[in-house]
Amino acid sequence: MSNELKIPFIDSHTGGEPTRVVIENPLDLGHGSLAEKRAIFQDKYDWFRSAVVTEPRGSEVLVGALLLEPLDPTCCAGVIFFNNVGTLGMCGHGAIGLAVTLARLGKIGLGPHKIETPVGMIEINYHGGARVSIQNVPSYRYQKGVNFTLPAGANATGGTNITGDIAWGGNWFFLTAAPCELSLNHLPELMQYAVEIRRALSHYQITGVNGQPIDHIELVGPAQHPNNQARNFVLCPGLEYDRSPCGTGTSAKLACLMAEGALKPLQIWRQESIVGSVFEAHAVWHTDQHAIIPTITGEAYITAEGVLIVQENDPFRFGLRNTRENQSQ
Ligand code: PYC
């Protein structure tokens, strides 16, 4: 790094959940697929991730999106999403934020546009203003009715019996009933419950396909508004909760409902988040009838644009969390 690194960005929020799009890529991620670029990003540039999204430039809840040139000429962009602890396969709220950002930059107009992600191609459909639909990657329920007991520990949840479904919506989810009302007043209880479920999944080695960790926990319950079908609380990998209804989590939920026969193709599902923001969703069967193709509609608003600065002599230049890099680079 010369004296300082400058990183131009645009911030937005989707239903309360923030996204920071890095609009110029300064990293050498090679010429491979998005999945290969994500692997290089993880191995060589973790300092960049933490510098962009964690404190003091960001916050634990911020999701980053590194805008890249697409390999596929039919796509308008490629993107790698990342958070306070690593990278994400896909990010629904982030893709909605990315769409309003691309529109602000004049890179897309109204209508559908394809985007490459490390887990497949998605489509963003920009409706104008803040409104965006995304067509997500094929999503499916992997296992139904998975049952286990929370291991005894230092807290009250030990011994609780849990039953839930494992589903893929661009990230891996375990979906189960919430233990209490889904409101911000119950945040500490919801957090603890979801964290204990995540620990238990790892303890019992319950995973997604090919041993992939289930790093998102979705607690589901009744909607508070009569127009909506359900409300959720989603614990993200870095132990933050999603303020939005979670695009990949809503996709996982639709996959479970469709597999169960509880939702018909094209039937509207309005999903509330823990803060009351709403995604309107529907799905159709993928050609193999095992997976679905979900479409999620939401709104994102621009909150800031500017340039992050990483100065060479700043002891916290790579973020508070990344102390190893702070000492060694
Ligand atoms: O909207 O898919 C999503 C998401 C994942 C993590 C945070 N938001």
Side-chain angles (χ1 to χ4, degrees):
M1 190 194 303
S2 57
N3 277 354
E4 54 184 42
L5 174 65
K6 293 188 172 172
I7 309 171
F9 72 95
I10 295 184
D11 282 358
S12 60
H13 81 86
T14 309
E17 181 78 353
T19 307
R20 172 165 289 168
V21 181
V22 173
I23 58 178
E24 282 170 29
N25 169 35
L27 311 175
D28 179 5
L29 298 175
H31 303 285
S33 67
L34 256 278
E36 287 162 340
K37 288 189 170 118
R38 177 194 188 184
I40 295 171
F41 182 73
Q42 280 171 180
D43 287 352
K44 281 182 65 183
Y45 298 111
D46 199 54
W47 60 266
F48 184 84
R49 175 196 60 73
S50 56
V52 169
V53 290
T54 69
E55 296 175 30
R57 290 176 203 80
S59 81
E60 292 295 304
V61 70
L62 191 55
V63 169
L66 179 59
L67 193 58
L68 297 168
E69 287 301 318
L71 269 188
D72 181 331
T74 66
C75 291
C76 72
V79 64
I80 297 173
F81 292 108
F82 50 100
N83 64 14
N84 55 342
V85 291
T87 62
L88 288 160
M90 224 303 274
C91 180
H93 93 268
I96 294 172
L98 174 64
V100 296
T101 299
L102 290 173
R104 184 175 182 87
L105 290 169
K107 288 184 187 277
I108 63 167
L110 297 179
H113 308 273
K114 290 180 184 157
I115 305 275
E116 275 173 3
T117 80
V119 293
M121 195 187 287
I122 63 161
E123 193 172 273
I124 52 176
N125 193 346
Y126 182 53
H127 304 300
R131 199 131 178 99
V132 177
S133 297
I134 60 159
Q135 194 180 81
N136 197 4
V137 294
S139 302
Y140 57 95
R141 181 167 71 181
Y142 172 54
Q143 278 178 30
K144 174 186 176 178
V146 176
N147 191 264
F148 54 88
T149 303
L150 293 182
N155 58 60
T157 57
T160 306
N161 197 39
I162 306 287
T163 303
D165 293 350
I166 299 172
W168 171 256
N171 295 300
W172 282 107
F173 286 82
F174 185 81
L175 301 97
T176 189
C180 59
E181 189 198 344
L182 285 167
S183 88
L184 289 175
N185 296 337
H186 291 277
L187 207 46
E189 191 180 342
L190 292 164
M191 267 288 177
Q192 186 185 37
Y193 194 73
V195 167
E196 290 305 328
I197 290 175
R198 225 182 86 180
R199 282 209 189 108
L201 291 171
S202 145
H203 174 80
Y204 295 119
Q205 297 181 354
I206 299 170
T207 66
V209 172
N210 294 330
Q212 292 178 68
I214 301 168
D215 52 7
H216 290 73
I217 309 299
E218 183 164 346
L219 305 179
V220 297
Q224 288 187 3
H225 193 282
N227 285 354
N228 305 329
Q229 278 66 52
R231 194 174 179 94
N232 69 17
F233 167 91
V234 176
L235 178 73
C236 298
L239 303 186
E240 271 299 333
Y241 70 93
D242 197 334
R243 277 67 168 162
S244 85
C246 192
T248 51
T250 300
S251 301
K253 176 71 184 166
L254 294 192
C256 294
L257 289 164
M258 293 269 287
E260 206 51 37
L263 188 76
K264 296 190 187 69
L266 297 177
Q267 189 180 339
I268 299 295
W269 180 266
R270 288 173 57 87
Q271 179 71 53
E272 276 174 17
S273 74
I274 183 80
V275 306
S277 51
V278 177
F279 284 164
E280 188 172 296
H282 65 264
V284 293
W285 285 111
H286 188 242
T287 40
D288 68 5
Q289 294 284 305
H290 162 66
I292 60 160
I293 304 291
T295 297
I296 313 282
T297 302
E299 289 174 359
Y301 296 88
I302 302 293
T303 54
E305 57 188 353
V307 179
L308 301 175
I309 294 177
V310 180
Q311 291 194 316
E312 201 175 32
N313 57 352
D314 175 356
F316 293 112
R317 61 195 179 282
F318 299 135
L320 289 187
R321 284 259 222 161
N322 209 327
T323 47
R324 198 155 47 89
E325 283 82 351
N326 284 336
Q327 284 153 18
S328 66
Q329 295 202 12

